[in-house]
Amino acid sequence: MKKIFLFLIFLISMFMTWGTPAMAAETQCIVTDMKWTSRNDGDPPFVRIVLDLSRSVKAEAAIDNSGKNFQVVLKNTTKKENIAHQYDMDSRAIDFATLSENDRNIYLDIALTKPQKISDIRVFALRPDAKAKKPHRLVVDIPIIGAKRTYYKQTPQTKKSSLQQSITAKTSTTGATKNASNKSVIIDITTPVSDYVISDRAKKALQGKVICIDPGHGGTDSGAIGHLNGQEIYEKNLTLAIAKPLRELLTRAGAKVVMTRNSDKDVFGPYAEDIPELQARCDIANEAHANAFVSIHIDAVANPDVDGCTAYYYVGSDSSLVLAHMLHNAIISRISNYKDRGVRGNDFYVNAHTEMPSVLMELGYITNENRLRWLTSKGAPQKIAISLYEGFVDYFAD
Ligand SMILES: [Zn+2]
């Protein structure tokens, strides 16, 4: 159903015509695909909607006076028949969106969860990219009001600490944090889990299963930075310290474990943009045809009192939700000091672009001093690894 914009308070007109105007008037543009994703690499995070187009087009955007109904009109445009009409998107920003055709125009109607200003919504065109095999595109970025950037990039507090670090340590021109190993604490990962007994139930459940473990960040990307006793502690070291004993336990139970990284390195390459770096991790899991994927992270937030464990799953995947519950329950029930921050739906890149049950675990806050002291204490990463391992056993046993 087409929304009627009775009160257009603002109207922008975008000319995306790079060919000759005469040509543009003749050929009708075709919307060949529509995709959306939640992105955490902006401040605030945003929902990005991308329309693939057969050629350049003239588009207009408008918002009604409630600020909750946003519309983009693509003039002289039709769409492929197999493109869905209605989309449920990230409910933090968008209730739903529809793509409809009327009178030789295409209407993208976006029902916003909260009122927005049209000046905060970005609508822009992308030219075809032959190398990446991308056609003409129309992009709409909707801010997720009130959301905090916690995953891809560092929070303001940790940003400040990278800045401080850049004065004393090596820096790169891209602004990424270079590992200042002389200042950071390397987590002791030598505490073995070899004495942990693998049950028959575990062997039965995990035999032959392929599990991909993604230790978050690595190499030139330190992840969030914590401070303890005047030293900096990097998220990337904590995530690897958890991933390694987890790999050992799963392997001993008969699973085949694929790691996105085994050491302190970038997966795609040094100082890579977020998307290629994260896609490289997804590729490893997808190419291994993994039966399950877990990305391990430590959270960060400006408020130092905040702590707890959150399991994120990709909205729309029931098996991911089940896996998230299993891993989350295993942590909360086995490690008494973890505050429960719930199992939450999200669209983190690594979960949205992996083709198997896929979960991202935020295992406490690096910005909480008590948590950080515990995470860096002997045996703590192993304790987390054992809990996650038992979560996988529960998942595959059922
Ligand atoms: Zn992280």
Side-chain angles (χ1 to χ4, degrees):
M1 197 174 74
K2 187 174 159 269
K3 280 205 173 58
I4 299 161
F5 283 73
L6 292 171
F7 308 100
L8 296 184
I9 56 162
F10 203 97
L11 188 75
I12 58 165
S13 191
M14 284 198 357
F15 292 89
M16 300 169 57
T17 314
W18 296 301
T20 64
M23 259 180 69
E26 282 162 15
T27 342
Q28 202 176 18
C29 172
I30 305 161
V31 179
T32 56
D33 200 3
M34 172 163 154
K35 296 191 195 85
W36 71 274
T37 181
S38 301
R39 296 269 299 256
N40 276 7
D41 50 338
D43 204 4
F46 58 97
V47 175
R48 170 162 289 181
I49 301 167
V50 180
L51 302 184
D52 285 356
L53 307 171
S54 63
R55 66 160 185 77
S56 59
V57 71
K58 187 189 169 191
E60 290 175 358
I63 199 161
D64 73 352
N65 68 351
S66 76
K68 289 184 75 174
N69 294 299
F70 183 71
Q71 185 178 66
V72 182
V73 186
L74 286 74
K75 297 291 175 72
N76 192 25
T77 303
T78 182
K79 67 184 177 80
K80 266 189 164 177
E81 267 188 17
N82 59 354
I83 296 177
H85 170 66
Q86 185 158 332
Y87 298 78
D88 289 324
M89 297 191 179
D90 189 327
S91 60
R92 292 175 300 166
I94 298 169
D95 285 333
F96 63 89
T98 59
L99 193 70
S100 52
E101 187 172 352
N102 189 38
D103 202 18
R104 291 179 68 85
N105 295 329
I106 287 289
Y107 295 84
L108 171 62
D109 283 287
I110 302 170
L112 302 164
T113 314
K114 294 170 189 160
Q116 303 243 17
K117 281 186 274 187
I118 199 165
S119 53
D120 291 337
I121 298 173
R122 292 177 66 215
V123 183
F124 58 97
L126 287 173
R127 290 163 186 272
D129 182 342
K131 227 176 172 183
K133 292 185 180 141
K134 303 267 193 199
H136 284 282
R137 282 149 291 158
L138 177 83
V139 181
V140 182
D141 286 345
I142 310 277
I144 304 172
I145 296 169
K148 287 246 157 55
R149 195 163 69 163
T150 57
Y151 171 42
Y152 296 130
K153 296 283 182 191
Q154 291 148 12
T155 58
Q157 189 183 349
T158 50
K159 248 187 199 162
K160 201 174 121 209
S161 57
S162 349
L163 206 69
Q164 286 165 348
Q165 186 190 25
S166 72
I167 298 163
T168 54
K170 291 170 198 157
T171 55
S172 89
T173 50
T174 62
T177 312
K178 181 82 183 162
N179 181 3
S181 52
N182 57 331
K183 275 188 79 185
S184 79
V185 175
I186 304 300
I187 307 308
D188 180 8
I189 55 165
T190 55
T191 310
V193 283
S194 49
D195 56 347
Y196 191 78
V197 178
I198 304 294
S199 67
D200 288 341
R201 175 173 175 262
K203 285 178 193 163
K204 213 176 143 200
L206 292 171
Q207 187 62 48
K209 294 291 186 299
V210 180
I211 297 170
C212 183
I213 305 172
D214 173 39
H217 313 279
T220 56
D221 171 16
S222 65
I225 301 172
H227 295 269
L228 198 64
N229 306 326
Q231 286 178 304
E232 288 184 336
I233 294 165
Y234 298 139
E235 180 187 359
K236 64 173 182 175
N237 293 331
L238 294 170
T239 60
L240 189 62
I242 296 163
K244 282 186 168 180
L246 176 59
R247 171 183 63 183
E248 184 188 327
L249 291 163
L250 292 168
T251 307
R252 278 174 53 210
K256 184 184 171 218
V257 173
V258 180
M259 302 272 280
T260 58
R261 65 180 180 99
N262 290 306
S263 59
D264 182 17
K265 61 166 193 171
D266 301 88
V267 176
F268 181 82
Y271 306 112
E273 296 288 322
D274 290 328
I275 299 301
E277 176 63 27
L278 297 170
Q279 185 60 48
R281 294 166 193 251
C282 299
D283 290 346
I284 290 170
N286 292 340
E287 281 161 23
H289 301 288
N291 299 105
F293 174 91
V294 63
S295 189
I296 296 171
H297 288 260
I298 310 296
D299 230 331
V301 70
N303 183 350
D305 297 332
V306 173
D307 188 33
C309 168
T310 321
Y312 290 101
Y313 68 100
Y314 179 55
V315 181
S317 165
D318 291 344
S319 49
S320 294
L321 173 61
V322 174
L323 178 61
H325 271 291
M326 296 296 186
L327 297 179
H328 189 72
N329 287 346
I331 293 286
I332 299 298
S333 64
R334 281 165 188 278
I335 307 176
S336 58
N337 65 14
Y338 265 112
K339 197 179 155 224
D340 185 352
R341 291 181 66 87
V343 174
R344 301 187 193 186
N346 214 306
D347 297 290
F348 287 138
Y349 193 93
V350 289
N351 296 137
H353 295 83
T354 38
E355 294 157 2
M356 66 290 307
S358 180
V359 171
L360 185 145
M361 295 297 294
E362 292 280 8
L363 295 154
Y365 281 74
I366 204 165
T367 40
N368 180 292
E369 201 181 319
N370 287 336
R371 174 60 54 199
L372 189 53
R373 192 169 291 118
W374 183 79
L375 283 168
T376 52
S377 65
K378 210 162 177 74
Q382 288 72 23
K383 212 166 176 179
I384 295 173
I386 288 167
S387 303
L388 293 175
Y389 157 80
E390 290 292 352
F392 275 113
V393 173
D394 291 340
Y395 175 77
F396 284 110
D398 288 347

